[in-house]
Amino acid sequence: MPPPQLSIKAPRELRDILLTIRLVESGDRYDAPPNRAGASGAYQYIASTWANFHGYPAAHLAPPGTQDARALADVRAILDAWKGDLSMVPVLWYYPRAAREPALMDVVPMRSLGNRLTVREYQHRWLDMFAFITGKPISYRPQAKAPEVRFLEGNPPEFIDQPLLLGEIAFPVLGRTVLAPTRSCAETECEDGAPAIVYGDKLQPVLAATDGVVTAAQLDDPISGAVTLTITDRHGRTFTYSGFNNDSPGTSDDAAHPSLRLTVLGQVGATVRAGQIIGYLGDTDPMPSDEHHGVGLPSAWPHIRLTIRDRHGDRLDADVLVAEAQVRQACHVGIGPWSISRDPRLADVDRSVRDHERVDIPWIGSFILRRDGTVTALARSALILPPEGCIWSPGVEFGPGGSGAGAPGPFYETIDLPGRSWVNGVFGDRDRMPFTPARGT
C-alpha cells in the first residue's frame, strides 16, 4: 500500500494509526455526517468529545487538517497514558470504559445506537486493519488452530442453507484479507442491513458466497467505473458484488482484459456454486479518499463490497454473515479442481494477455492465473485465511491442474430460477438467456 498522507506532519507510525482509524470509523470520509450516536467526520467524534474544537460545532464541519490535528493529539495522549500499547487505541476510541473495566471487553456497547461488535471484536478488527496497512503482522495476536484434516483437501465449502433465516454463506475472497468492522450508519443513509467490505489486493480471486445463477454483470459502470456482478439464489436473495479488478497486472490503467475482471462464470445465466471463482479483486468500487484535500491517495483501497438482499429487496446484514463465514472457514483450503473451468473466450486471445501469469502479493501468497482461465494457488494463498494467521499452510498448488478434492455430483447440476428472480441485466434481453456451463464447471 502507498504510505498514508496527512495535511499535517507526523511520524509514519502515527500516520498509519490515523489512517486505520479513518478507514475503520468512516471509510476515510472527512465529511461523514452525524450518525445515530451523533458521531461525525473521518474519526467519528461525538459532539461532547469534539467539544467545539477550533470553533467548529461538529467534526464533519471542520477541514481535514483540523480533524487530523485533533485525532493526532488524542492518539498521542492514549499512547503516552498506556506506555505505547497500540492495542489500547481502538479500545479507547470505541468504548473508553472498557479500558478500566475488563468485563466490558466482551460486551456490545450501546446497541441502540447501532453498534454490533463487542469491544474485543472491534479491537481485533482494528488491529487487523493496522497490520494490513503496514504490511506487518502483529506478533502478539493469537494464532488460529489448524482445521480438521478434511478441510485441508480443497473441498467446496459446507454451509446450511436456511431460506427463512439469514442463512450461512461462504467467505467471498481467497487468501489473506481484512474484513472491515461494522459501523453505525449515518442518519441520512440509514437502511436496515449493512454490506460487507473485504479488503485485499488486486487480482485476489473473488468467490461466490452462495449457490445460484448470475443475473447481472457489468464490466464498467458508466458513472462510477465499478465492475459489478449479481448472483441470485433459489430463494430469490441477491448477492451483489462491487469492486472487481479493471487494471492490467501491476498497473492502474483501467484496461484489463475482460478475463482479468470476471471469470468465465461471470456471465449472465451462469450457474455458480459457493466457493467458485467469479472474478478478481480490484479497486473499482468507489470509496471516499484524501484526494479532495490534495494528498493524492488512490480513489479506493482494493476491496470487494458485498450487498445481500432478500427476495423482497430488503437488505440483510452481509457484514455479519461474512464475519461468521470467515470464522467457520478459517484456515480451510478454499480452492480445488471444482473452483473454475476453462474459459473458451480465451482460445484466440494473444498469449501476452494471460500466459501463466503469476501474481505475488506480500503477506498473502501467490496465485497463478493460467492462459486457459483457470487459477491455482500456492501455500497460504490457497486458504481462507483469517487476519491473525494460520499455523498450517499447504506446500503444494491447489486448484485445476493442482491438488484438491473433487466436488460431489450434484455440484455440477445447473440451477433454474423462477422468472420473478431474474433482474434486468446491463446488456439487454439476449444476454439474459439461460447459460449452461460445460460439465465440470
Side-chain angles (χ1 to χ4, degrees), residues 181-241:
T182 58
R183 296 193 301 270
S184 301
C185 64
E187 290 288 356
T188 56
E189 302 172 352
C190 280
E191 182 180 0
D192 290 339
I197 298 177
V198 183
Y199 291 89
D201 214 325
K202 288 184 178 181
L203 294 179
Q204 276 187 258
V206 177
L207 312 178
T210 189
D211 297 344
V213 178
V214 177
T215 51
Q218 187 163 25
L219 293 182
D220 283 293
D221 184 274
I223 298 176
S224 67
V227 181
T228 62
L229 179 143
T230 297
I231 298 171
T232 303
D233 71 7
R234 294 183 180 91
H235 312 296
R237 293 175 295 200
T238 58
F239 296 70
T240 300
Y241 295 76

Side-chain angles (χ1 to χ4, degrees), residues 274-314:
Q276 288 194 292
I277 301 172
I278 57 176
Y280 301 98
L281 190 148
D283 57 7
T284 62
D285 176 62
M287 290 189 71
S289 72
D290 284 331
E291 286 186 331
H292 61 280
H293 65 282
V295 298
L297 284 178
S299 58
W301 302 101
H303 68 277
I304 279 289
R305 183 189 302 270
L306 175 60
T307 303
I308 306 175
R309 295 182 184 273
D310 66 17
R311 63 189 181 91
H312 302 294
D314 297 326

Side-chain angles (χ1 to χ4, degrees), residues 23 64 99-100 141 157 172 210 214 219 240 243 263 276 294 341 359 361:
L23 287 172
R100 302 296 181 186
R141 294 298 305 282
T210 189
V214 177
L219 293 182
T240 300
T263 69
Q276 288 194 292
S341 60
V359 181
I361 305 175

